[in-house]
Amino acid sequence: RTRMFLGWYDPDRKKPARAKLADAVARYQEKFQRTPRFCLTSALDAAELAEPSRKFPGPPPVTVQARGYVARWTYYIGEADGGTA
């Protein structure tokens, strides 16, 4: 199966990871007209995404998976099954 990914890089240190993830998810939906299911990101960003915040309460809108090969502030948004949304 072909897997759809959207790569998103945002090095803004003042912007929280949840805001970056929200931007990436919105762009994925705009571009592919589908809802993503997961995000691959660095261990540091995954840890930040796991922490709730006042502005972004509750869990992230997608499953977050930490990967050692993903650079900091980088988010790969995709669909686990290759997408049949």
Side-chain angles (χ1 to χ4, degrees), residues 4-9 21 24-25 28 36-42 62-65 67 69-79:
M4 286 280 198
F5 285 98
L6 173 84
W8 190 263
Y9 176 70
L21 179 62
V25 167
Y28 185 96
R37 301 191 191 290
F38 70 96
C39 170
L40 303 179
T41 192
S42 71
V62 295
T63 300
V64 176
Q65 301 174 11
R67 294 291 188 264
Y69 55 82
V70 178
R72 184 81 200 268
W73 306 305
T74 302
Y75 306 85
Y76 290 104
I77 308 298
E79 297 175 57

Side-chain angles (χ1 to χ4, degrees), residues 2-64:
T2 302
R3 294 186 183 242
M4 286 280 198
F5 285 98
L6 173 84
W8 190 263
Y9 176 70
D10 186 340
D12 184 348
R13 292 174 187 255
K14 293 181 182 180
K15 192 177 202 180
R18 291 280 188 113
K20 295 174 186 184
L21 179 62
D23 290 347
V25 167
R27 178 62 182 129
Y28 185 96
Q29 291 172 327
E30 178 184 339
K31 183 171 181 153
F32 298 114
Q33 302 298 307
R34 296 144 91 124
T35 301
R37 301 191 191 290
F38 70 96
C39 170
L40 303 179
T41 192
S42 71
L44 290 171
D45 289 316
E48 186 179 336
L49 288 167
E51 296 178 17
S53 69
R54 285 187 296 243
K55 188 171 182 182
F56 297 97
V62 295
T63 300
V64 176

